[in-house]
Amino acid sequence: MTYQADTAFRVDFEPIGRRAEVVPGETLLAAAQAAGVGLVAICGGAGVCGDCRVRLVQGELSSATGAERELLSSQEREKGFRLACQAVPLSDVKLDIPPESLSAPQRLQVEGQEVEMEPDPWAVPVDIEMDPPSLHDLRPDYARLQDAVEECGLPRPSAGLSRLIDLSEQLRTQGWNVRLALRGGEIVAVLPRGTTLFGLAVDIGTTKLATYLVELAQGKVVAKAGAMNPQIAYGEDVVSRIAYTNQQRDGRKILQEKVVSSLNDMVVDLCAEGGIAQDQIVEAVVVGNTAMHHLFAGLPVQQLGMAPYVPAVSEALDVRADEVGLVLASGGYVHLPPNIAGYVGADHVAMLLASGLAEAQTTTLALDIGTNTEISLAVGGRLLSCSCASGPAFEGAHIHDGMRAAPGAIERVHIVGQDVHLHTIADELPVGICGSGILDAVAEMREAGILDRRGAIQDGRPQVRSRDGKPEFILAPAATTGHGRDVVVNRKDVNEVQLAKAAIRAGIEILLAEAGISAESLERVIIAGAFGTYLDVSSAIRVGMLPQLPIERFRQVGNAAGAGARQMLISGKRRLAASQLIRRIEYIELTIHPGFTAEFLEAMYL
Amino acid sequence: MTYQADTAFRVDFEPIGRRAEVVPGETLLAAAQAAGVGLVAICGGAGVCGDCRVRLVQGELSSATGAERELLSSQEREKGFRLACQAVPLSDVKLDIPPESLSAPQRLQVEGQEVEMEPDPWAVPVDIEMDPPSLHDLRPDYARLQDAVEECGLPRPSAGLSRLIDLSEQLRTQGWNVRLALRGGEIVAVLPRGTTLFGLAVDIGTTKLATYLVELAQGKVVAKAGAMNPQIAYGEDVVSRIAYTNQQRDGRKILQEKVVSSLNDMVVDLCAEGGIAQDQIVEAVVVGNTAMHHLFAGLPVQQLGMAPYVPAVSEALDVRADEVGLVLASGGYVHLPPNIAGYVGADHVAMLLASGLAEAQTTTLALDIGTNTEISLAVGGRLLSCSCASGPAFEGAHIHDGMRAAPGAIERVHIVGQDVHLHTIADELPVGICGSGILDAVAEMREAGILDRRGAIQDGRPQVRSRDGKPEFILAPAATTGHGRDVVVNRKDVNEVQLAKAAIRAGIEILLAEAGISAESLERVIIAGAFGTYLDVSSAIRVGMLPQLPIERFRQVGNAAGAGARQMLISGKRRLAASQLIRRIEYIELTIHPGFTAEFLEAMYL
């Protein structure tokens, strides 16, 4: 490998038309990350997931590494496919990014249950009029305002330094006649008289961000927006991102700034849509899993990445918006609801709250399915929770032709006789399989006898062929796909689904056993989250992921975490409920539970 | 004026050897500020003080402005002297900066009264040992630490986000065995077991910074340092700096960062001298006049610059060190004691505290003399304060050959018969007159009959000559000075001293009248501050600035503000005393006092 030192090479990313410069020795993935190109990099650039495929169109790259020879077929390599995390430019290059390697565009879920409740927000408006200062009344601006609040019969208010910094100008601009937002005893905003107060609810998913602009007095959502979590470029799952922060100096700071910067962009858009000024947003509630929570707040995650996986902080935090860099009213606060454990975060708390599990009289199971699946069980006044490492199969990762739920992803599979019927997102030509598609495929293949109960692919079907001596099932032949390659399901893919569904099922069984009840007693099963919204419940039952119960007991609730965040945004009572719920939860650590391994092995069968 | 667009010119400042680049159109003063050259600019670059004299050695400058023709003599202009705030480079230039135009080096006062008191600091050390987390004990790091503190019988502590950010790493690095600094109920530092806690006392003067590193448990000063206030480059007095922030976008931020950056440099030096780590400094107390207080905290100063001159905030503030950018322990606090009024700041409060005025049984007058002079009178349990605009004459400004108390400044004048005896700082050849020098000069000239009681210069002395038809007194002839020019005192200089001393005396008389006592009743007169340390009390009495009292009643106490800051640093009781003192103070606004004008006019006479 030779290259001219001190030269920057240009990298063109097609078809999206983004351009980056790399210094010699930097990989294509680094270039993509620097340019904001959302290349899929599930393993965080370690060269093990094989997802960051790109095709060299023009120019010269370093020769293929061992990882590339292992993860790319010789035909793919002949066509110019490379792994972006391995290949290093030796000249200016032009690349083609196949759709399945791009993390966006993608379905973004911001819908969810509507919040029906009486608002009692922490921040309330108070209109105040003052006499201006004169040589006969030399009270400082802040004391003058405090006096005026007291004269209204309210307790003397406080204010943080960041709020005081533009107080003098605001009082003068508004002629000593203002609307305050008072949060408890604290002044968090000084606004023109009569201004409406707003709040921001945020759900930081590992993959997606969902934001809601809420009018506080009525609790009405006036605008909402979704976006990809920009941290994806630094690792698709929580573990890769933690690894990134361990390896990269300032990595934690970079991830923190990335997510906050995206949220700030969304706030600008929400304000434009809602026709309001940013300083009308006096409070935010932010939920996410424990790692997302920590990364948002700038808290350390290293200890979350190694046994015994403890959070730095679990209790609810109220931090000033400017401490985390969120641009709201200059004295505004961010409320971070409590986490349950290292792998059961505030988003699960919010989901439990929105699903009514805090007050549930019925025996209810609630699941948040993802790379990590959080499960809670409400029964007879008890509330048990656990977390299982279900892996990224349902995010489309670790699957040979897996992809996330983007256009062209196979999301429904139906096998009728010898025919395979497929449905793709946005009705585009198939380019891969997303989580609900692989679940469907396994359920249908098992039903059609293509899989045995151990998950082995049975021969004797036209779609089953052998590759390197191992059987694989052709879901979509090359002639029918968007990229001209077969979309297949192989033994390893089936195994990934088995591992995922077994982990979830074992978690459910352990909670039932701990509560001393059988699955039959479950009156309601709530399935939340993006994958939970789109999965086919009957497929999930057929593969054994969910217990065999009448289908009407299941409810797919969408982004319940966002709904819970909105509840806590508009209601102090709901924040209190969250804190009380936390104290009641019995957290079961599955990795040291004596019954877990047996349940898990049992649940591996299809 | 012609110059090539888009070209940067180089400016060499000699003899200090600093180099800067300017874009065409920028003044020499802007170049000096950008390069950190401490050019005197009392008027903030408005072209009215004539202090930023530089001499062109090489290259081409824009032609002289009206301001320059007015403020520089034709001889000076012939020698190449220019005003840096007016002249714009038309090529690369080399400049010579005369000593009197440089704001440093200069005497820096960090001495002052010693603090003799029982320390009761707000931040105290607590040693804590914890069990490390395990799969059977999954408590989050923060909760584990809180539990351990509770187990010691202390209330459950809190911690700010900035403190939590490195908590997990510190607990692990120190093997779950740490010394906490607890401030009230809050964790402000996590240190290795047995570490000593320190505090920082700071006096931000308009001209100088004084810092003290104090061991908290014993109250011992282990290191101290002085430096110039770097804001001087943006205007020498408070009014010019306020004007700068009004004119310059981000001006407030620039001034805030300049002073904090200097303090941070001093903290590094203090820690090196004291042999300690920066995170052992868990608390700071910062005092300054109200404008310095506001600029340090990032608070607005615009309203301090226009009638009725009210502070944004007067009450004591406790802000996190990282909110203002001060680098101490990551959870450390800065305590800002209360201000009294727009022109009577926390430094005066600290001085009153250090001088014992809060508890004074004797009738005591205390003065802080500067561009603004703060005066307080303790009598019969009452405490009266006022502020008078004494002008910058005692800082050496607005005086024809005035300069600050730097080497070569005439600080003592004695006229014996026809002879004039001078003493200069550092015994260098005279280059100008500092505050104590001009006060002495006027007192001696009056005594020698060179001035009449109205301040007019009388002819008939060899040192008295006429210039442009007006008499002036040659204090040091050109042949004896460091720069080869005469050092003179003219009618306008005498008038500046009269204005300054009359303002101070009128303030004293108004306080005495408000208290219903005569000057004779004053048992003690305390004079604080740099000028107050060096002034000759008998000269001050002779010109009528101070009342005629036996000399032993006067005490020159040096930097009493720094001593008061140290008291509040090591003692919660002294902070309480400051707050109580503030509430007792009767502030007299002189500008609307009916007796002020008459007292002022009367006090103008010599």
Side-chain angles (χ1 to χ4, degrees):
Chain A
M1 188 191 314
T2 58
Y3 47 72
Q4 199 185 331
D6 302 326
T7 313
F9 295 126
R10 211 166 57 203
V11 181
D12 283 301
F13 294 99
E14 300 296 348
I16 52 172
R18 201 73 62 87
R19 174 170 291 182
E21 294 220 320
V22 290
V23 295
E26 268 196 334
T27 66
L28 296 175
L29 181 61
Q33 289 173 342
V37 173
L39 259 192
V40 180
I42 294 178
C43 70
V48 301
C49 74
D51 272 334
C52 59
R53 263 163 231 237
V54 294
R55 194 170 61 82
L56 180 66
V57 176
Q58 211 172 75
E60 195 188 354
L61 294 171
S62 56
S63 50
T65 64
E68 292 184 283
R69 282 190 295 272
E70 192 175 306
L71 290 159
L72 298 168
S73 68
S74 54
Q75 293 102 306
E76 285 174 322
R77 294 210 306 277
E78 271 168 35
K79 284 183 187 154
F81 279 95
R82 300 295 302 270
L83 297 184
C85 70
Q86 301 292 309
V88 171
L90 303 180
S91 73
D92 293 353
V93 294
K94 183 177 282 188
L95 304 171
D96 181 52
I97 310 179
E100 68 271 32
S101 296
L102 265 184
S103 58
Q106 173 156 353
R107 275 203 300 231
L108 297 170
Q109 190 192 18
V110 293
E111 300 299 329
Q113 299 163 291
E114 257 320 295
V115 183
E116 290 289 343
M117 55 186 322
E118 189 66 35
D120 65 315
W122 276 18
V124 293
V126 178
D127 289 332
I128 294 290
E129 191 165 2
M130 288 149 279
D131 291 326
S134 72
L135 283 167
H136 298 275
D137 177 1
L138 293 166
R139 284 175 296 164
D141 299 334
Y142 178 36
R144 184 177 304 275
L145 179 61
Q146 290 175 307
D147 290 347
V149 172
E150 275 191 324
E151 281 158 21
C152 296
L154 294 165
R156 194 168 185 82
S158 65
L161 183 61
S162 58
R163 185 76 284 294
L164 294 174
I165 278 172
D166 51 6
L167 178 67
S168 297
E169 194 187 336
Q170 286 169 325
L171 293 177
R172 283 169 181 77
T173 307
Q174 288 154 37
W176 306 93
N177 191 355
V178 295
R179 167 160 284 188
L180 302 182
L182 282 180
R183 181 187 196 269
E186 186 173 342
I187 300 165
V188 295
V190 181
L191 298 160
R193 192 132 180 168
T195 311
T196 309
L197 304 185
F198 289 84
L200 181 76
V202 177
D203 175 26
I204 303 183
T206 310
T207 309
K208 294 169 222 166
L209 308 175
T211 55
Y212 309 84
L213 181 65
V214 183
E215 192 277 307
L216 285 179
Q218 307 296 327
K220 193 167 165 289
V221 176
V222 296
K224 51 194 169 189
M228 296 303 293
N229 185 334
Q231 296 173 342
I232 281 178
Y234 301 84
E236 285 242 329
D237 58 28
V238 162
V239 174
S240 328
R241 283 184 218 168
I242 294 173
Y244 173 76
T245 66
N246 290 343
Q247 288 148 17
Q248 178 74 28
R249 212 169 60 91
D250 287 338
R252 203 163 104 199
K253 193 159 169 278
I254 290 168
L255 294 187
Q256 204 262 346
E257 287 171 355
K258 283 279 169 190
V259 70
V260 169
S261 161
S262 278
L263 291 175
N264 280 334
D265 290 345
M266 293 167 86
V267 167
V268 170
D269 293 345
L270 290 172
C271 285
E273 192 183 333
I276 70 157
Q278 252 165 287
D279 63 0
Q280 288 180 256
I281 307 179
V282 297
E283 179 130 28
V285 169
V286 175
V287 301
N289 61 48
T290 308
M292 292 305 108
H293 167 280
H294 279 35
L295 285 175
F296 170 77
L299 291 167
V301 291
Q302 189 170 25
Q303 81 293 342
L304 278 179
M306 53 192 190
Y309 314 104
V310 294
V313 183
S314 273
E315 65 183 57
L317 294 177
D318 285 286
V319 301
R320 290 206 333 273
D322 58 3
E323 276 190 277
V324 288
L326 208 56
V327 183
L328 310 178
S330 64
Y333 271 84
V334 178
H335 176 75
L336 295 161
N339 300 303
I340 296 170
Y343 282 87
V344 188
D347 54 351
H348 191 63
V349 174
M351 179 272 215
L352 296 179
L353 215 59
S355 310
L357 246 75
E359 306 85 7
Q361 300 299 319
T362 55
T363 300
T364 305
L365 187 76
L367 301 94
D368 252 321
I369 304 171
T371 302
N372 206 73
T373 297
E374 300 91 32
I375 314 174
S376 288
L377 173 64
V379 52
R382 289 178 69 188
L383 202 45
L384 298 97
S385 295
C386 71
S387 160
C388 34
S390 38
F394 296 137
E395 306 276 352
H398 291 200
I399 300 294
H400 185 274
D401 286 322
M403 65 184 285
R404 283 184 296 107
I410 297 168
E411 61 166 351
R412 285 283 170 268
V413 177
H414 196 40
I415 301 178
V416 185
Q418 299 295 325
D419 296 337
V420 178
H421 299 276
L422 303 176
H423 181 254
T424 63
I425 294 176
D427 283 325
E428 291 194 5
L429 289 178
V431 290
I433 320 170
C434 70
S436 57
I438 192 71
L439 183 75
D440 265 20
V442 170
E444 290 285 303
M445 285 164 72
R446 170 72 183 124
E447 192 143 307
I450 302 163
L451 298 177
D452 69 9
R453 68 185 290 257
R454 291 175 304 112
I457 298 175
Q458 309 300 304
D459 213 341
R461 281 273 187 156
Q463 293 94 341
V464 174
R465 70 163 178 220
S466 176
R467 190 189 200 178
D468 303 334
K470 289 170 192 157
E472 61 183 23
F473 182 77
I474 301 168
L475 210 52
T480 68
T481 65
H483 47 40
R485 292 184 282 130
D486 293 335
V487 175
V488 303
V489 177
N490 64 25
R491 176 66 184 97
K492 190 176 150 292
D493 298 341
V494 176
N495 193 49
E496 290 286 340
V497 172
Q498 287 175 286
L499 289 169
K501 70 102 182 176
I504 294 169
R505 183 59 178 273
I508 295 171
E509 294 301 328
I510 296 290
L511 289 192
L512 292 170
E514 284 287 323
I517 62 170
S518 73
E520 270 308 309
S521 321
L522 294 173
E523 295 166 86
R524 272 201 311 164
V525 178
I526 292 168
I527 305 167
F531 169 68
T533 309
Y534 296 109
L535 72 75
D536 186 279
V537 170
S538 73
S539 291
I541 293 173
R542 282 186 290 157
V543 303
M545 182 172 98
L546 297 175
Q548 182 111 34
L549 292 171
I551 203 90
E552 62 275 12
R553 294 198 198 168
F554 293 88
R555 271 181 66 201
Q556 291 167 279
V557 296
N559 187 354
R566 292 201 298 281
Q567 289 190 359
M568 289 184 275
L569 180 63
I570 62 168
S571 168
K573 288 197 193 74
R574 295 310 276 168
R575 292 188 196 179
L576 196 63
S579 294
Q580 287 168 341
L581 182 142
I582 282 287
R583 257 173 260 132
R584 279 175 49 210
I585 281 177
E586 303 169 47
Y587 175 71
I588 316 288
E589 176 56 45
L590 292 186
T591 53
I592 54 164
H593 193 281
F596 182 72
T597 308
E599 287 291 351
F600 180 75
L601 291 175
E602 173 62 27
M604 280 292 285
Y605 292 111
L606 289 172
Chain B
M1 186 191 319
T2 59
Y3 47 72
Q4 198 185 334
D6 301 328
T7 313
F9 294 126
R10 213 165 57 204
V11 180
D12 284 302
F13 294 99
E14 300 297 350
I16 54 172
R18 201 74 63 83
R19 175 171 290 183
E21 294 219 322
V22 290
V23 296
E26 268 194 332
T27 65
L28 295 175
L29 181 61
Q33 288 173 344
V37 174
L39 259 193
V40 179
I42 293 178
C43 70
V48 301
C49 73
D51 273 332
C52 58
R53 261 161 232 237
V54 295
R55 195 170 60 84
L56 181 67
V57 176
Q58 208 171 79
E60 195 186 353
L61 294 171
S62 58
S63 50
T65 65
E68 293 183 283
R69 281 190 296 272
E70 192 175 308
L71 291 159
L72 298 169
S73 67
S74 55
Q75 293 101 308
E76 285 174 321
R77 294 212 306 278
E78 270 167 38
K79 284 183 187 154
F81 278 95
R82 300 296 303 268
L83 297 183
C85 68
Q86 301 291 310
V88 170
L90 303 179
S91 72
D92 294 352
V93 293
K94 181 176 282 188
L95 304 171
D96 181 55
I97 310 180
E100 69 269 33
S101 296
L102 266 184
S103 59
Q106 176 158 353
R107 276 203 300 232
L108 296 170
Q109 191 192 19
V110 294
E111 300 300 329
Q113 298 165 292
E114 258 321 295
V115 183
E116 289 291 341
M117 56 186 319
E118 189 66 35
D120 64 314
W122 277 17
V124 292
V126 179
D127 289 331
I128 294 290
E129 190 164 3
M130 290 149 277
D131 290 327
S134 72
L135 283 166
H136 297 275
D137 176 2
L138 293 166
R139 284 175 298 163
D141 298 335
Y142 178 36
R144 182 176 306 274
L145 179 60
Q146 290 175 307
D147 290 348
V149 172
E150 276 190 322
E151 283 159 21
C152 295
L154 293 166
R156 194 168 185 82
S158 66
L161 183 60
S162 58
R163 186 76 284 294
L164 294 172
I165 278 172
D166 52 6
L167 178 67
S168 299
E169 194 188 335
Q170 286 171 324
L171 292 178
R172 283 168 181 77
T173 306
Q174 288 155 33
W176 307 93
N177 190 355
V178 295
R179 166 161 284 189
L180 303 181
L182 282 180
R183 182 189 196 268
E186 186 172 343
I187 300 164
V188 294
V190 181
L191 298 160
R193 192 132 180 169
T195 311
T196 308
L197 305 185
F198 289 83
L200 181 75
V202 178
D203 174 26
I204 303 183
T206 309
T207 309
K208 296 170 219 165
L209 308 175
T211 56
Y212 309 83
L213 181 64
V214 182
E215 192 277 308
L216 285 179
Q218 307 296 329
K220 194 169 164 290
V221 176
V222 297
K224 52 193 167 189
M228 294 305 293
N229 185 333
Q231 296 173 343
I232 281 177
Y234 302 85
E236 286 242 326
D237 59 27
V238 161
V239 173
S240 326
R241 283 183 218 167
I242 293 173
Y244 173 77
T245 67
N246 290 342
Q247 288 149 17
Q248 178 74 28
R249 215 170 58 91
D250 288 339
R252 203 163 102 199
K253 192 155 168 285
I254 290 169
L255 294 188
Q256 205 262 345
E257 288 171 356
K258 284 279 168 188
V259 69
V260 169
S261 160
S262 278
L263 291 175
N264 280 334
D265 291 346
M266 292 167 87
V267 167
V268 170
D269 292 345
L270 289 173
C271 286
E273 192 184 332
I276 70 159
Q278 253 166 287
D279 63 0
Q280 289 179 255
I281 307 179
V282 297
E283 179 128 29
V285 168
V286 176
V287 301
N289 63 48
T290 309
M292 292 305 108
H293 166 282
H294 279 35
L295 286 174
F296 170 77
L299 291 167
V301 291
Q302 188 168 27
Q303 81 292 340
L304 278 180
M306 51 194 190
Y309 314 104
V310 294
V313 184
S314 272
E315 64 183 58
L317 294 177
D318 285 284
V319 303
R320 289 205 335 274
D322 57 3
E323 277 190 274
V324 287
L326 209 56
V327 183
L328 310 178
S330 63
Y333 272 84
V334 178
H335 177 75
L336 295 162
N339 299 304
I340 295 169
Y343 283 86
V344 188
D347 53 351
H348 191 63
V349 174
M351 180 272 218
L352 295 180
L353 216 58
S355 310
L357 246 75
E359 305 87 7
Q361 300 299 318
T362 54
T363 299
T364 305
L365 186 76
L367 300 95
D368 252 321
I369 304 171
T371 301
N372 206 73
T373 296
E374 300 92 31
I375 314 174
S376 289
L377 173 63
V379 53
R382 289 177 70 189
L383 203 45
L384 297 98
S385 294
C386 71
S387 159
C388 35
S390 38
F394 297 137
E395 305 278 351
H398 289 199
I399 298 295
H400 185 274
D401 285 321
M403 65 183 286
R404 282 185 297 107
I410 298 168
E411 60 166 351
R412 285 279 172 271
V413 176
H414 195 41
I415 301 179
V416 184
Q418 298 294 323
D419 296 337
V420 178
H421 299 277
L422 303 176
H423 181 254
T424 61
I425 295 177
D427 284 323
E428 292 195 3
L429 289 180
V431 290
I433 318 171
C434 70
S436 55
I438 192 73
L439 183 74
D440 264 19
V442 171
E444 291 285 304
M445 286 163 72
R446 171 72 183 124
E447 193 146 306
I450 302 163
L451 299 177
D452 69 8
R453 66 186 293 258
R454 291 173 303 111
I457 297 176
Q458 309 299 305
D459 213 340
R461 280 269 188 164
Q463 293 94 343
V464 174
R465 69 162 178 222
S466 177
R467 187 190 202 177
D468 303 334
K470 289 170 194 159
E472 61 184 25
F473 182 79
I474 302 168
L475 209 52
T480 68
T481 65
H483 47 40
R485 291 184 283 129
D486 292 336
V487 174
V488 304
V489 177
N490 63 26
R491 176 67 184 96
K492 190 175 151 291
D493 298 341
V494 176
N495 192 50
E496 290 287 338
V497 171
Q498 286 174 286
L499 289 168
K501 70 105 181 175
I504 294 169
R505 183 60 179 272
I508 295 171
E509 294 300 327
I510 296 289
L511 290 191
L512 292 170
E514 285 287 323
I517 61 170
S518 72
E520 271 308 307
S521 320
L522 294 173
E523 294 167 84
R524 270 202 310 165
V525 178
I526 292 168
I527 306 167
F531 170 67
T533 308
Y534 297 109
L535 72 76
D536 185 277
V537 171
S538 74
S539 291
I541 293 174
R542 281 186 290 158
V543 302
M545 183 173 98
L546 297 175
Q548 181 110 34
L549 291 171
I551 204 89
E552 62 274 12
R553 295 199 197 167
F554 293 89
R555 271 181 62 202
Q556 289 167 278
V557 296
N559 188 353
R566 294 201 298 279
Q567 289 191 357
M568 289 184 274
L569 179 64
I570 62 168
S571 166
K573 287 197 194 77
R574 293 311 275 168
R575 293 189 196 181
L576 197 63
S579 294
Q580 287 167 341
L581 182 141
I582 281 288
R583 257 174 260 131
R584 279 175 50 211
I585 281 177
E586 302 169 48
Y587 175 72
I588 315 290
E589 176 56 43
L590 292 186
T591 54
I592 54 164
H593 193 281
F596 182 73
T597 308
E599 288 291 353
F600 180 76
L601 291 175
E602 172 63 26
M604 281 291 285
Y605 291 110
L606 291 171

